[in-house]
Amino acid sequence: MKKFVSILAIAVLLLATVGCSCGLSCCGSSQVPKGPENAAFTLAFDDADTKALLAYFQANTGYQPSFADVPAAAEGEVADPAANAATACVAVLKDEANAAALEEAGWTRVTLDNAFGLIVLEAPANSAAARNADAVSALKVWLGGAEAQYLFAHPDLLD
């Protein structure tokens, strides 16, 4: 009888431990990570590789950017990067000319050391774009973090 009670007690404790580690609601607080409350924001970019890198940001943080392409001017044309990025609250650029055009339009360059050499700019305060300060902050932390550095060291992961 004692053996049966011992086995039953161990089984109950084992099931409770498995249930709590899986995040069941009966165990109080869940261990399952939750995404951000306001995940949506618009991000301007000017390089296809940047968009591939940002897919990793989305997968690992839960933020869901929509993208605004800021193409460089074709030969003989005049591009307006500020007009192309008007819906974005943050820009992640490689082209210095695009960054300079956005700065002229009132965008603020963020001092950010990242392995990819990306230029990060925040939209002006009077911008019509929907702002998401949490997403922008998370993007800055992620670009300067270990995961982005690992992706820089292993560019085959971005293909």
Side-chain angles (χ1 to χ4, degrees):
M1 185 68 168
K2 286 184 180 183
K3 187 175 185 179
F4 176 74
V5 171
S6 297
I7 291 173
L8 184 61
I10 291 172
V12 168
L13 290 173
L14 181 63
L15 289 175
T17 302
V18 170
C20 288
S21 67
C22 292
L24 294 176
S25 62
C26 65
C27 298
S29 65
S30 174
Q31 300 297 320
V32 178
K34 294 180 180 162
E37 288 182 27
N38 182 12
F41 71 105
T42 303
L43 182 140
F45 73 102
D46 64 357
D47 185 71
D49 291 338
T50 303
K51 191 171 181 182
L53 174 67
L54 294 171
Y56 280 86
F57 167 74
Q58 179 178 348
N60 290 288
T61 63
Y63 286 100
Q64 300 175 351
S66 54
F67 297 101
D69 192 6
V70 181
E75 193 170 321
E77 292 181 9
V78 176
D80 187 4
N84 293 336
T87 61
C89 67
V90 65
V92 178
L93 308 172
K94 280 196 173 182
D95 186 1
E96 185 63 45
N98 284 338
L102 289 179
E103 284 181 306
E104 286 178 25
W107 288 63
T108 306
R109 188 180 291 238
V110 175
T111 304
L112 178 67
D113 184 28
N114 64 80
F116 291 93
L118 297 170
I119 304 163
V120 179
L121 297 111
E122 291 187 52
N126 62 352
S127 171
R131 301 190 74 78
N132 189 338
D134 292 338
V136 173
S137 177
L139 176 67
K140 291 187 287 189
V141 169
W142 188 85
L143 278 173
E147 184 173 15
Q149 290 175 355
Y150 183 82
L151 289 171
F152 179 75
H154 299 88
D156 56 312
L157 295 175
L158 295 173
D159 294 334

